[in-house]
Structures are given as structure tokens and as C-alpha cells.
């Protein structure tokens, strides 16, 4: 699931959306952002070692995102949370626009409305999450943010078993707050939960954008929208601090670590990794965020906090696997008649609700 990387690449968000909101799509394995996903259980060259390649790429993307977030937090004393978000989005938009060179013509009003909504969700998610990261440790911030996609998964499935996963997640949140959130800044926690709500919106509009725009064009355009919206806020909040060479260099590094590099790694991984597996691996992000906070920001994690994060991760994985199992059960039985490979077609994914 996301994208917290505070900004999931289009490939990652589409895959997470497939596993969370459209379980049938996760089983059918539609092509995502030009990268055909692998069939369930397939490994390159039939080797179990081959499966480690895409898994390593996804883990590399997760590590890059969360350590990029840690670098962003360390940059906040220089430029503030809003300034850091602005630098990240602007530099990421520049890189993606140069690399993708999306076409501006030939799109309908509905297409542009979708990509603008995607950009608004992306910008809002980043702004809210970085406000949270400025006030509370990274591990708890990402854990609370994950509740957004988790809630999306539970509400989309409408199955009783998902109430168990929701309850497990709430237990984790209760423990994370030390039984009453006395140990966490309440404003920071509210920002993190709000970022989770924007993350859920991000997943929905990312999937819709991916169906309307080829390759990564939609991601590049949405990133540009988010950058344009954040720029006035960043200038008002940080002013000339944004153009200090050292600050700009660190902002560019955050953009590469949190947006460009994860997108590239996920694009390569999803050529050989099922979307359902991808979504389960995304559930590990709170733990990676806690590790990044400990190593870079010296943010200690208590045993109770570690248990809380583990409960939320377990709930997230359970919700993903429940959705995938539901989608696999709905798949029709294949016909006995053999179809020539040249005539076979990939099953299309159903429209998102």
C-alpha cells in the first residue's frame, strides 16, 4: 500500500490500489504504467533466487523513501516543513517532466480534472505528513498515516473479517499513544491521520490517472500541479531560505530519494512482482520509518511503540491478503479450450468504485 513514502510513485500507488480497492485487478495483474506485472507466484528463470530481485527493488524503494523522509526532517530547521515540501515537489516535478515529457494535448476536461485532483491529493498528503514529522517521530507518524489506506481497504471490502484487522490496527494506535496519546504531540498525530486520509484519496486518483494517461505522464503532470500549489506556500513560509545553495541541494536529494528513485525501482520491480505482493511489502513501511528515525534522527523506539507498529503492520498485511483472496475467489474458472498465445489477451481490471 503507500505510498507513505509520503508520495507514492504512480506504479506503486496503482498496484496498491489494485490490491486494496480492486482485489480482482490484483489477481488479474493488469499492466501498470507500462510495466506488465508478473503472474502470481512467477519468478524469473524459474529460480527462487530470481524472486529476490524485484523484492530487493521494492525494499530499496521503501528504504529510499523513509531515509529520504529522515533527511527531510533534518532539513526542516533550515527551511521549515512547508519549505522542505516545496523543494521536494518542485525538484521532483522538474526531473519527472524532463524524463517523461508528457503530452499536453489530446486530453479531455475529465482527464485534466482527474490529474489535478491527483496533484491536490499528492500535495496535501506531503504537506500534512511533513507537518506531522516535524512534531512526532517518523515511526509513529508513518504508522498513523497508514491508517488511511487501511481504512480504504476495510471499507472497500465490506467483509466482517476486516473488522478484525481494523480492531487490530486500533489496538496498535492505542498502544502507540501510550494508552492515551499523552506521549505524542496531539497536533502532530492529527496531521499524520489527516495525511492518511489524503493518502487514501491519492491511491484512488492515482489509479484513475493511470487509466487516463499513458506511461508515467499522469504522475509527472500531477507532480507539477502539486509543485505549483505548494510554491506560494513555501515562498510565504520560508522566503529566501529556499534559495540557499546547501538547502537547495538537500531538497534535491530529498526529491530524488523520496520520489524519483522509488518510482524507478518500483517500475522495474512491478515487471516481475505481483501487485498483491507489492502491497504486502508496503505494509512494512512503518518499521522502516522507525529504523530511519533511529539511525538518522536518533529517535528511540520503546518496546511498547515497537509492538504498536507491529500490530498496525499485521493489520495492514491481513487486510491486503483478505482482499486478494476475495478477488481470487471471484475469478471465473478458465475454459478448457486452448487459446493460441498470439490471440490471448490480458484480462482487463474492473473500474474502481
Amino acid at each position: 500500500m503507500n505510498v507513505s513514502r509520503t508520495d507514492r510513485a504512480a506504479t506503486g500507488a496503482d498496484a496498491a490500489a489494485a490490491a486494496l480497492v480492486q482485489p480482482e485487478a490484483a489477481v488479474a495483474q493488469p499492466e501498470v504504467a507500462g510495466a506488465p506485472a508478473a503472474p502470481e507466484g512467477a519468478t524469473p528463470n524459474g529460480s527462487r533466487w530470481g524472486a529476490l530481485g524485484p523484492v530487493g527493488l521494492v525494499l530499496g524503494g521503501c528504504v529510499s523513501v523513509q531515509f529520504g523522509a529522515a533527511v527531510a526532517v533534518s532539513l526542516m530547521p533550515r527551511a521549515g516543513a512547508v519549505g522542505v515540501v516545496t523543494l521536494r515537489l518542485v525538484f521532483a516535478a522538474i526531473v519527472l517532466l524532463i524524463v517523461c515529457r508528457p503530452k499536453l494535448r489530446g486530453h479531455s476536461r475529465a482527464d485534466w480534472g482527474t490529474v489535478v485532483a491527483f496533484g491536490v491529493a499528492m500535495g496535501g498528503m506531503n504537506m500534512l505528513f511533513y507537518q506531522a514529522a516535524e512534531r512526532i517521530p517518523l515511526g509513529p507518524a508513518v504508522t498513523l498515516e497508514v491508517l488511511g489506506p487501511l481504512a480504504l481497504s476495510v471499507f472497500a471490502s465490506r467483509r466482517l473479517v476486516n473488522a478484525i484487522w481494523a480492531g487490530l490496527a486500533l489496538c496498535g494506535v492505542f498502544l502507540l499513544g501510550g494508552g492515551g496519546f499523552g506521549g505524542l504531540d496531539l497536533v502532530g498525530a492529527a496531521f499524520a491521520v489527516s495525511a492518511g486520509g489524503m493518502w487514501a484519496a491519492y491511491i484512488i486518483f492515482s489509479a484513475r490517472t493511470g487509466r487516463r494517461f499513458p506511461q508515467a505522464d499522469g504522475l509527472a503532470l500531477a507532480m507539477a500541479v502539486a509543485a505549483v500549489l505548494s510554491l506560494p506556500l513555501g515562498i510565504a513560509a520560508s522566503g529566501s531560505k529556499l534559495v540557499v545553495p546547501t538547502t537547495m541541494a538537500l531538497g534535491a536529494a530529498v526529491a530524488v530519494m523520496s520520489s524519483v528513485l522509488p518510482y524507478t525501482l518500483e517500475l522495474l520491480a512491478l515487471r516481475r512482482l505481483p501487485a498483491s505482493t507489492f502491497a504486502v511489502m508496503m505494509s512494512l513501511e512503518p518499521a522502516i520509518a522507525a529504523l530511519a528515525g533511529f539511525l538518522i534522527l536518533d529517535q528511540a523506539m520503546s518496546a511498547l511503540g515497537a509492538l504498536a507498529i507491529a500490530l498496525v503492520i499485521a493489520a495492514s498485511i491481513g487486510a491486503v491478503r483478505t482482499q486478494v483472496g476475495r478477488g481470487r475467489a471471484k475469478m471465473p474458472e478458465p475454459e478448457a479450450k486452448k487459446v493460441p498465445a498470439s490471440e490471448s489477451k490480458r484480462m482487463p481490471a474492473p473500474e474502481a468504485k
Side-chain angles (χ1 to χ4, degrees):
M1 53 177 64
N2 150 202
V3 123
S4 121
R5 291 174 249 203
T6 68
D7 156 36
R8 289 248 58 90
T11 51
D14 287 347
L20 291 176
V21 186
Q22 297 173 267
E24 297 86 350
V27 177
Q29 296 305 324
E31 293 187 4
V32 180
E40 194 78 38
T43 59
N45 301 324
S47 169
R48 66 178 182 178
W49 296 109
L52 297 179
V55 168
L57 291 174
V58 174
L59 288 178
C62 292
V63 170
S64 181
V65 166
Q66 299 305 339
F67 277 78
V71 173
V73 172
S74 68
L75 181 57
M76 287 178 186
R78 294 173 178 263
V82 176
V84 172
V85 173
T86 299
L87 288 173
R88 174 188 167 172
L89 292 175
V90 168
F91 279 113
I94 291 172
V95 172
L96 289 175
L97 288 173
I98 291 175
V99 173
C100 299
R101 289 181 286 183
K103 294 181 180 180
L104 301 179
R105 297 181 179 180
H107 302 297
S108 67
R109 183 177 299 179
D111 293 340
W112 284 112
T114 299
V115 84
V116 167
F118 185 22
V120 170
M122 181 187 298
M125 177 179 63
N126 279 275
M127 283 288 181
L128 292 168
F129 178 80
Y130 279 21
Q131 291 289 342
E134 190 177 33
R135 293 168 171 82
I136 61 178
L138 269 184
V142 174
T143 302
L144 291 172
E145 189 192 22
V146 163
L147 295 179
L150 178 60
L152 178 64
S153 172
V154 170
F155 291 140
S157 71
R158 296 175 184 152
R159 297 185 67 190
L160 183 60
V161 67
N162 276 290
I164 298 176
W165 307 128
L168 194 62
L170 289 177
C171 289
V173 171
F174 182 77
L175 290 177
L176 194 63
F181 282 91
L184 284 181
D185 181 275
L186 291 180
V187 175
F191 274 127
V193 173
S194 299
M198 295 302 291
W199 189 1
Y202 175 99
I203 289 175
I204 294 172
F205 285 108
S206 172
R208 294 179 182 178
T209 300
R211 290 194 296 268
R212 290 178 176 272
F213 291 83
Q215 302 298 326
D217 287 11
L219 173 67
L221 293 172
M223 189 73 76
V225 170
V228 169
L229 292 176
S230 68
L231 193 57
L233 300 176
I235 293 174
S238 303
S240 60
K241 296 178 182 178
L242 296 178
V243 295
V244 175
T246 304
T247 302
M248 292 182 67
L250 289 173
V254 171
V256 172
M257 293 178 68
S258 298
S259 298
V260 179
L261 182 58
Y263 165 73
T264 303
L265 294 177
E266 289 166 7
L267 177 63
L268 295 173
L270 282 167
R271 294 179 185 273
R272 297 178 290 171
L273 192 69
S276 55
T277 304
F278 176 92
V280 168
M281 294 182 65
M282 291 303 96
S283 302
L284 300 176
E285 288 208 345
I288 298 174
L291 178 63
F294 174 74
L295 293 177
I296 296 181
L297 304 173
D298 197 26
Q299 296 176 344
M301 176 64 65
S302 66
L304 192 64
L307 176 60
I309 291 176
L311 289 177
V312 174
I313 290 174
S316 180
I317 293 175
V320 169
R321 298 310 299 172
T322 299
Q323 285 291 78
V324 172
R326 173 175 171 246
R328 190 175 288 117
K330 286 186 176 182
M331 290 289 291
E333 291 294 328
E335 296 182 7
K337 180 181 178 180
K338 294 183 178 180
V339 181
S342 60
E343 297 179 7
S344 63
K345 296 182 179 179
R346 190 179 298 273
M347 181 178 295
E351 291 292 323
K353 295 181 180 179

